[in-house]
Amino acid sequence: MSRLVFVLNGPNLNLLGKRQPHIYGHETLADVERDCRELAKELNLDIRFHQSNREYELIDWIHEAREIAVGIVMNPAAFTHTSVAILDALNTFEPPVIEVHISNVHKREEFRHHSFVSKRADGVIAGFGTQGYLLGLRRVAKLVDEKKA
Ligand code: DQA
């Protein structure tokens, strides 16, 4: 049975490691992808890891995930706070969705406190740095295993 999880990253996360490192840390997105792949092996998950600065591309990946994935771990970045279109796309996806933010958005500017994606997410992780992605993968694996049992 498929154990494919999509790990999706929104705008500006391609600059992770260079972008405001005092907020987002020094790890690059390639480091995050490597760590996710390592953990996925341990959890017996397959992953597709994507980043885009374009809203439509993230939506297309969510549509693709509908057909083949058992979960989505997503850091929608700034689209978190603005995108009804991404919320609508996630609402078409039935398996677990975990929303990840590297920083603690609740400690930051007020406009970051609202998340459209949280209206769909089964779990939200914020402020755990890039470790949040790994916690998200562990949670999806657990929910998939529980569903099978
Ligand atoms: C972020 C938080 C968002 O508010 C911001 O726009 C990002 C990254 C995070 O990972 O902490 O780009 O999602």
Side-chain angles (χ1 to χ4, degrees), residues 66-84:
R66 289 182 74 223
E67 309 296 326
I68 51 180
V70 296
I72 293 177
V73 173
M74 183 167 194
N75 184 348
F79 290 146
T80 307
H81 317 298
T82 61
S83 181
V84 174

Side-chain angles (χ1 to χ4, degrees), residues 4-8 48 50 61 64-65 68-69 71-74:
L4 179 62
V5 178
F6 275 45
V7 182
L8 300 179
R48 298 235 175 122
H50 295 300
W61 285 322
E64 194 187 335
I68 51 180
I72 293 177
V73 173
M74 183 167 194

Side-chain angles (χ1 to χ4, degrees), residues 10-13 16 19-20 23-24 75-81 100-105 108-109 111-112 126-127 129 133:
N12 301 303
L13 288 167
L16 198 64
R19 166 198 188 205
Q20 297 178 286
I23 297 175
Y24 298 114
N75 184 348
F79 290 146
T80 307
H81 317 298
V100 172
H101 300 287
I102 296 166
S103 65
N104 180 0
V105 281
R108 301 181 62 194
E109 303 96 320
F111 64 84
R112 294 184 204 277
Y133 289 85

Side-chain angles (χ1 to χ4, degrees), residues 117-128:
V117 172
S118 290
K119 301 207 173 294
R120 163 61 185 90
D122 298 293
V124 182
I125 298 166
F128 285 73

